[in-house]
Amino acid sequence: MFLTISTTGTPERPATDLGFLLHKHPDKAQAFSTSYGKAHVVYPEASVERCTAALLLEVDAVALVRRGKGKGRGGAPDAALAQYVNDRPYAASSLLAVALSGVFSSAMKGTCQAKPELPARPLPLRVEVPALPARGGADLVRALFEPLGWTVSAEPVALDTEFPEWGDSRYVSLVLEGEQRLADALRHLYVLLPVLDDAKHYWVSSDEVDKLLRAGEGWLPDHPEQKLITSRYLSRRWSLTRQAMERLELVRLAETDDSAVEEIDNAVDEKTDTEEKPVPLAVQRRDAIVGALKATDAARVLDLGCGQGQLVQELLKDTRFTEIVGVDVSMRALTIASRRLKLDRMGERQAERVKLVQGSLAYTDKRLKGYDAAVLSEVIEHLDLPRLPALEYAVFGSARPRTVIVTTPNVEYNVRWETLPAGHVRHGDHRFEWTREEFRGWAGTVAERHGYGVEFVPVGPDDPEVGPPTQMAVFTVSAQNTKDQNTKEEKAA
């Protein structure tokens, strides 16, 4: 990937001031490591009259595939060919945007200790990006950059110059010219490069809203394509887009009223608003599970049916859990869990603590043996009742961790959910939901059959009539049963 930034100057205001703004000396060729390769900064020309800084990003295509866990360009797990044949090492994208923010972070913030007056001064800039993916074509490129004061040249790149009848590709050769502050120009590029590509190479989480608003300060609230920019930058995640749009509207209103955002957004006084907000049941459930695991001194934990990795993420926050394995039959769920946990950006020591594996709980699996504890959180109700004995044996008979924690809905509590129609279960995929008596009967039978003791813990508000919304059973194998099991295994060997 390649991008150049050029400016012109005079003896009074030399073009080489660009080097001070970028914090990169024109006489040096510098290299910087990034998540997916190496970024090089060089100056093809540096004189009083004209100065050009070039950013070349060398993408390690193999590392991109490995860290992407086999995902294709758009994150689709079945796009196998796209792992190896795609434009990411060559065409400007979110990879280049991240490199811009890393290599030129001080310039993007508008700081220059050597010449503090420079960041506020507009410069005659020329930005060139030879290969820019533009989903929307040259018209969209102009619609995004021209309202910001740029003169735009976006020439479509032919699919193949030898075969002009094939038409144009989705790429353009971009040239931007205009009087701009360098910090503004860099922030325009940081946001709009991935917007035009309409894809990102990393998982978009809630912190991306803050990044967008920081980079968009001063120009995004009034941009005519604000909604499209926000939606694409946040990978079309509607909840994040809505959050960003609401905050942008507050900024626009504050600017119109010549007020601070805090003065506009004053509907709630946090100092006087002491009403406690209800803790979501999912959070209460995770807290209860973590508390039970801590009470058993478990260090190596299995999250069976880990789904999108919420519990694994919570366990990683506590260093007492030295090994956490998430197991799920769904590759899509594991892909989402990997993104949630940011496995591709996780430090080496942290990464050693966690592993995600595909597996069915209806079959025995040697990989699951030898762990301190296993968690089945909101899992059993997704199985058909005739398949429960297979799961029971795979977990309690074969894997046989010292502790097993099982949570499941209490169907009696459903009458307390105002939005749940009578006779309906809480989720469309639930095959059953048990009363407290039914759950205790099943858990007691399992414990007796496999040599465990079992205790029951309410999760959520314990209603005196219908009980808690979630019921939790904590199975603990006795020391004698563990000894007997080890003796059996030694004899069998």
Side-chain angles (χ1 to χ4, degrees), residues 249-325:
E249 179 62 15
L250 281 174
V251 172
R252 190 190 66 78
L253 290 172
E255 290 177 349
T256 302
D257 199 40
D258 197 20
S259 305
V261 172
E262 293 76 13
E263 295 176 18
I264 298 292
D265 189 21
N266 62 357
V268 177
D269 185 349
E270 294 182 358
K271 294 181 180 179
T272 60
D273 182 23
T274 57
E275 182 181 353
E276 289 190 20
K277 295 181 179 179
V279 178
L281 181 58
V283 175
Q284 296 182 59
R285 187 162 48 237
R286 285 195 294 272
D287 289 345
I289 291 169
V290 173
L293 289 171
K294 290 178 180 178
T296 65
D297 293 325
R300 303 175 66 239
V301 180
L302 297 166
D303 182 8
L304 304 177
C306 66
Q308 299 179 15
Q310 292 94 330
L311 178 60
V312 174
Q313 186 177 43
E314 191 66 28
L315 294 175
L316 276 171
K317 297 176 183 177
D318 195 323
T319 55
R320 80 182 70 202
F321 302 114
T322 58
E323 184 179 353
I324 306 151
V325 178

Side-chain angles (χ1 to χ4, degrees), residues 46-276:
S47 67
V48 171
E49 294 78 18
R50 184 174 176 83
C51 184
T52 298
L55 174 64
L56 172 66
L57 178 60
E58 282 188 295
V59 177
D60 185 341
V62 175
L64 188 63
V65 171
R66 288 175 176 168
R67 298 187 73 174
K69 307 298 181 186
K71 298 184 292 296
R73 173 177 180 77
D78 59 342
L81 184 61
Q83 297 180 53
Y84 305 98
V85 183
N86 61 64
D87 60 8
R88 284 191 173 180
Y90 317 106
S93 67
S94 58
L95 288 165
L96 184 59
V98 170
L100 276 172
S101 68
V103 175
F104 299 137
S105 59
S106 296
M108 192 176 291
K109 293 173 185 175
T111 60
C112 180
Q113 293 182 353
K115 295 189 175 184
E117 74 282 359
L118 285 182
R121 182 187 301 165
L123 300 176
L125 294 177
R126 179 184 173 92
V127 178
E128 297 183 57
V129 185
L132 173 65
R135 295 177 187 268
D139 289 341
L140 179 59
V141 179
R142 286 188 286 270
L144 294 182
F145 283 103
E146 284 181 350
L148 301 174
W150 292 102
T151 300
V152 180
S153 171
E155 294 296 326
V157 177
L159 278 171
D160 194 320
T161 55
E162 296 295 322
F163 301 94
E165 65 273 16
W166 289 1
D168 295 328
S169 68
R170 67 182 186 87
Y171 302 91
V172 298
S173 176
L174 176 68
V175 178
L176 303 174
E177 293 182 294
E179 291 272 340
Q180 298 274 358
R181 295 188 308 164
L182 181 64
D184 293 337
L186 291 173
R187 291 190 288 117
H188 296 165
L189 293 167
Y190 174 76
V191 172
L192 297 180
L193 290 183
V195 166
L196 284 165
D197 190 20
D198 200 13
K200 283 198 171 183
H201 69 278
Y202 57 89
W203 173 246
V204 173
S205 56
S206 57
D207 61 347
E208 291 295 300
V209 175
D210 293 326
K211 293 179 185 178
L212 173 62
L213 297 183
R214 283 197 300 269
E217 185 178 357
W219 63 271
L220 184 56
D222 296 317
H223 197 290
E225 297 294 340
Q226 178 201 100
K227 187 173 182 180
L228 179 142
I229 293 170
T230 304
S231 176
R232 284 194 176 193
Y233 183 88
L234 297 171
S235 295
R236 304 179 188 273
R237 295 191 61 189
W238 69 267
S239 58
L240 298 183
T241 301
R242 183 180 61 184
Q243 178 185 341
M245 294 293 289
E246 289 173 351
R247 291 172 63 178
L248 285 167
E249 179 62 15
L250 281 174
V251 172
R252 190 190 66 78
L253 290 172
E255 290 177 349
T256 302
D257 199 40
D258 197 20
S259 305
V261 172
E262 293 76 13
E263 295 176 18
I264 298 292
D265 189 21
N266 62 357
V268 177
D269 185 349
E270 294 182 358
K271 294 181 180 179
T272 60
D273 182 23
T274 57
E275 182 181 353
E276 289 190 20

